[in-house]
Amino acid sequence: MVNVWQKIRTSGLWLSILAVVLSCILITQRGVLLGQDFTGGYVTEFQIAKDFTASELEHELHAVVPGSFRLSSNGVLQWQLFQPPQNEVAEPLSWQTKLPESMGLKILDSRFVGSQVGAELVEQGGLALLVSLLAVGLYLIVRFEWRLAVSASLALLHDIVITVACFSLTGMEFDLTVLAALLAIIGYSLNDSIIIGDKVRELVRVRPNAPVSDTINEALGTTLGRTTITSSTTLTTVAAIWWLGGASLQGFACALFVGIAVGTWSSIFVSATLPQWLGLSFANYQRVYTEQEQQQLAEP
C-alpha cells in the first residue's frame, strides 16, 4: 500500500510538471487578454429596454459602433461596452448618438481610461506579485530546511502559472480583481503547504530509521482530512460567488476557484513529494559539529 501511495505521488508530480510546461507554452503563444484596467480605452455602461442575448446585442451594435469592442453583462438588462484605443477612429464615442430607438438603449456612464494609467497598473501589479513571491520565499527559507522551502516555493509558482494559463486558454479578461485573486491564492496555497511541511519535518525528526517516502505518506494521511474539508468548503463559497456575483466578479471567482483547486493538488503532489526527490532525510536535521566542539563533547 505504501508503494502504491508513493507511485501516486510520483505520478501526480510528473503531471504537475507537464501541466506547468504546457501552461508556459500556452501563455507564450496566446498571451493573456488584459482587461480595461490595464490596456486603457473607452468604457460605456448602458441599459436596454428588452432582453437581448450577448450575440444578438453584439450583432445590433456592430452596425453603429466603429472598430472593435467587447461586451459584458452587468446584471439584468445592463451591459458594459469596452472599446480599446483606436487611432484610426476619429470619434470612437460617436455611436452613442446614432442608436436606433427600437433598441431602447440608455447610456448610464461613459468614461475613458488612459493607456498610461493602464501601463502603470501592469507594472505595479507585476511588482506586487513578484514582491509577494520573494517575501514568501524568504519566509520559507527561514522556517524550513531548504528542500522543503524550495518545494513549497515551486508549488506556489505552479499554482500561479496554471491559473494564468486558464485565463489564456478561455480568453477571459485579466483585470485588477484577477490580480487580487492571484495574491490570495499565494496565501491560501502557502498555508496548506506549511501545514503539510510542518508535519513532514516533525515525523522525519522523530523517525530516523524510517524511509522518507513512508514518512511523507503518513504526514499526508494525517493532514489529508483537514485539507479536503477546508478546500471543499472554500471552493463551495467561491462557486457561490462565481454563480451569483455577476459579471464583475466572474474573473475574480474563476481565478480563486482554479487557484484553490490547483493549490490543494500542489500541496500534496509538489510541496510534499519534491523534497523526497531532493534527498530529504533525517540527517538534514542533525547539527554538524566542528572539530573543536567534538573535542569538547568528548572531554569527561
Side-chain angles (χ1 to χ4, degrees), residues 192 195-196 199-200 218-228 268:
D192 218 7
I195 291 173
I196 295 176
K199 196 64 179 179
V200 171
E218 184 173 349
L220 289 174
T222 57
T223 58
L224 187 60
R226 176 200 174 278
T227 299
T228 303
I268 297 172

Side-chain angles (χ1 to χ4, degrees), residues 66-145:
S68 61
F69 63 88
R70 293 198 302 269
L71 277 176
S72 62
S73 175
N74 279 356
V76 180
L77 302 180
Q78 292 189 0
W79 294 81
Q80 183 180 82
L81 184 145
F82 172 67
Q83 298 171 265
Q86 302 176 44
N87 297 327
E88 66 278 7
V89 179
E91 298 181 0
L93 299 180
S94 60
W95 62 272
Q96 296 180 2
T97 61
K98 302 175 183 178
L99 295 170
E101 295 184 1
S102 59
M103 293 183 63
L105 191 148
K106 178 182 178 182
I107 304 296
L108 301 177
D109 184 33
S110 183
R111 61 187 181 274
F112 174 75
V113 180
S115 58
Q116 183 177 0
V117 176
E120 290 177 358
L121 288 175
V122 172
E123 181 180 351
Q124 294 173 1
L127 184 61
L129 190 60
L130 179 61
V131 170
S132 298
L133 288 172
L134 290 177
V136 166
L138 180 61
Y139 167 76
L140 291 172
I141 290 173
V142 174
R143 183 180 179 93
F144 290 123
E145 198 269 339

Side-chain angles (χ1 to χ4, degrees), residues 18-282:
L18 178 62
V20 169
V21 172
L22 293 177
S23 296
C24 291
I25 294 174
L26 180 64
I27 294 171
T28 303
Q29 296 296 321
R30 297 189 55 171
V32 178
L33 179 61
L34 295 177
Q36 62 195 37
D37 296 329
F38 297 112
T39 60
Y42 298 91
V43 182
T44 303
E45 296 179 6
F46 60 91
Q47 186 175 8
I48 53 180
K50 58 181 180 179
D51 195 9
F52 283 97
T53 65
S55 58
E56 291 173 345
L57 184 58
E58 186 173 350
H59 177 73
E60 293 286 340
L61 290 175
H62 263 303
V64 292
V65 179
S68 61
F69 63 88
R70 293 198 302 269
L71 277 176
S72 62
S73 175
N74 279 356
V76 180
L77 302 180
Q78 292 189 0
W79 294 81
Q80 183 180 82
L81 184 145
F82 172 67
Q83 298 171 265
Q86 302 176 44
N87 297 327
E88 66 278 7
V89 179
E91 298 181 0
L93 299 180
S94 60
W95 62 272
Q96 296 180 2
T97 61
K98 302 175 183 178
L99 295 170
E101 295 184 1
S102 59
M103 293 183 63
L105 191 148
K106 178 182 178 182
I107 304 296
L108 301 177
D109 184 33
S110 183
R111 61 187 181 274
F112 174 75
V113 180
S115 58
Q116 183 177 0
V117 176
E120 290 177 358
L121 288 175
V122 172
E123 181 180 351
Q124 294 173 1
L127 184 61
L129 190 60
L130 179 61
V131 170
S132 298
L133 288 172
L134 290 177
V136 166
L138 180 61
Y139 167 76
L140 291 172
I141 290 173
V142 174
R143 183 180 179 93
F144 290 123
E145 198 269 339
W146 73 267
R147 292 168 181 83
L148 287 172
V150 168
S151 301
S153 299
L154 291 177
L156 294 181
L157 289 174
H158 166 277
D159 302 341
I160 296 299
V161 169
I162 293 180
T163 302
V164 174
C166 288
F167 277 79
S168 178
L169 178 64
T170 59
M172 293 182 65
E173 287 189 4
F174 189 99
D175 55 20
L176 285 179
T177 62
V178 177
L179 179 61
L182 293 182
L183 296 176
I185 290 168
I186 291 175
Y188 186 93
S189 181
L190 175 65
N191 178 67
D192 218 7
S193 296
I194 286 176
I195 291 173
I196 295 176
D198 273 335
K199 196 64 179 179
V200 171
R201 178 178 59 180
E202 175 187 339
L203 293 180
V204 167
R205 282 176 168 175
V206 300
R207 299 184 179 179
N209 298 322
V212 173
S213 59
D214 296 354
T215 303
I216 293 176
N217 289 340
E218 184 173 349
L220 289 174
T222 57
T223 58
L224 187 60
R226 176 200 174 278
T227 299
T228 303
I229 293 173
T230 303
S231 298
S232 58
T233 304
T234 309
L235 286 174
T236 302
T237 305
V238 173
I241 296 175
W242 195 350
W243 181 34
L244 302 173
S248 59
L249 291 178
Q250 280 189 354
F252 176 78
C254 176
L256 275 183
F257 191 93
V258 173
I260 291 172
V262 174
T264 302
W265 171 280
S266 68
S267 64
I268 297 172
F269 295 105
V270 179
S271 66
T273 305
L274 193 56
Q276 180 182 337
W277 285 20
L278 297 176
L280 182 69
S281 68
F282 173 76

